[in-house]
Amino acid sequence: NAEYMGRFPGYDADSKEFDAETHRKRIFGASVADYMRQLADQDEEVYRRQFGAFIKEGVTADSLETMYKNAHAAIRADPGHEKKAAKEYTKKKRFNPAKRTLKERKDHVKQLKAAFIAKLDKAGGAAADSDDE
C-alpha cells in the first residue's frame, strides 16, 4: 500500500516515490558497512570497541551483506521460533539486612532485655561488693 511506503527507508515524501535500491541497501547493512569503513579509517580504537563482536566473529564491512543474506535464508528455511531455556540467576547480594518476622523481632528484644538486665545485675553486684568494704 502506498500509504505505508512512507515508513520505509528509500521513500521520498516530496516526490512521493520509493527507491527500492536504498531500501535494499539498508536491509543488507550497507549503511553499517559504510560506517565500519569510516571508523576503521578514522579511529582504530573506537572501531574495535564499537564492532568488537563483529571482529571476534570475523565479520568485515565487505562480508556484512553475506551475513545478512545467510541470516535471511536461515529464517526462511525455519521461520519457527524456539524458546530458549530460562537462565538461572544467582542470589543477589543484599546490602541491607533482610526483614525479620514478628517472632524474630520479639525474640531479639527479649535477648536485648536479658543482656541489659544481666549487665545491670553484674554492675549492681559489683556496686554492692564495693559497699560492703
Side-chain angles (χ1 to χ4, degrees):
N1 282 339
E3 65 262 15
Y4 295 113
M5 294 307 270
R7 300 175 57 167
F8 299 114
Y11 180 76
D12 185 18
D14 296 332
S15 65
K16 304 232 185 271
E17 290 184 5
F18 178 71
D19 181 18
E21 186 59 29
T22 304
H23 188 75
R24 183 192 172 289
K25 285 181 180 177
R26 191 64 72 88
I27 289 174
F28 288 110
S31 57
V32 178
D34 292 340
Y35 181 61
M36 284 176 80
R37 287 186 195 99
Q38 176 190 346
L39 232 90
D41 292 342
Q42 289 178 355
D43 193 349
E44 188 69 28
E45 182 184 330
V46 174
Y47 170 75
R48 273 191 251 109
R49 185 174 64 231
Q50 189 83 22
F51 294 104
F54 278 8
I55 293 169
K56 193 161 81 172
E57 294 294 323
V59 177
T60 63
D62 298 325
S63 67
L64 201 60
E65 185 173 340
T66 308
M67 180 189 75
Y68 279 113
K69 283 182 179 178
N70 292 340
H72 294 163
I75 291 169
R76 284 189 195 98
D78 183 20
H81 174 69
E82 292 180 19
K83 196 168 187 177
K84 292 182 179 178
K87 292 182 181 178
E88 291 187 26
Y89 293 99
T90 58
K91 190 173 182 179
K92 292 186 178 181
K93 183 175 181 177
R94 290 184 64 110
F95 292 99
N96 56 339
K99 288 189 176 183
R100 297 177 179 177
T101 64
L102 179 64
K103 183 179 179 187
E104 290 171 335
R105 291 194 309 264
K106 286 187 175 187
D107 185 47
H108 182 67
V109 170
K110 278 184 188 176
Q111 290 174 3
L112 289 174
K113 283 182 180 179
F116 184 71
I117 291 171
K119 186 178 174 183
L120 283 178
D121 289 344
K122 188 176 181 182
D129 292 342
S130 63
D131 289 342
D132 293 340
E133 295 176 10

